[in-house]
Amino acid sequence: MELEKNNYINSLFEFYEPLLTKKQANYIELYYADDYSLGEIAGEYNVSRQAVYDNIRRSEKILQQYEDKLNLYHSFVDRNDKLDHIQTYIQKKYPHDDQLNSMIKNLETTEEQ
């Protein structure tokens, strides 16, 4: 469960990082992406562990609120699932259709950007 939450918060962070304050973004990145402890972050910023904890929890809620309103992450996941399904179908039914395979590859590249 903890790994799943970490991955989810990291994913939300990728989409919504520019909407966070610099301090919120730094704390989230250190805690979730760089695996710093609360104590290590507190030492880095010369604040209490409780202040770091509170900031991270607030930032998590903010990230979730952005996702609830904008739905960017879930839409991205949904589009990728559909693209995977289409790719599988094309590989089974039209493996030698170079134009179709090129179009799907182009769509996949566009989605990654």
Side-chain angles (χ1 to χ4, degrees), residues 63-76:
L63 289 171
Q64 187 59 57
Q65 288 171 347
Y66 287 143
E67 177 59 14
D68 291 344
K69 290 177 183 172
L70 300 173
N71 210 29
L72 297 177
Y73 170 69
H74 283 96
S75 294
F76 175 79

Side-chain angles (χ1 to χ4, degrees), residues 22 73 100:
K22 186 173 181 165
Y73 170 69
L100 186 57

Side-chain angles (χ1 to χ4, degrees), residues 1 13 15 19 57 59 69 73 75 79-80 93 107:
M1 181 66 177
F13 183 67
F15 282 95
L19 302 175
R57 294 299 164 246
S59 299
K69 290 177 183 172
Y73 170 69
S75 294
R79 284 190 310 274
N80 278 335
K93 301 289 184 175
L107 182 61

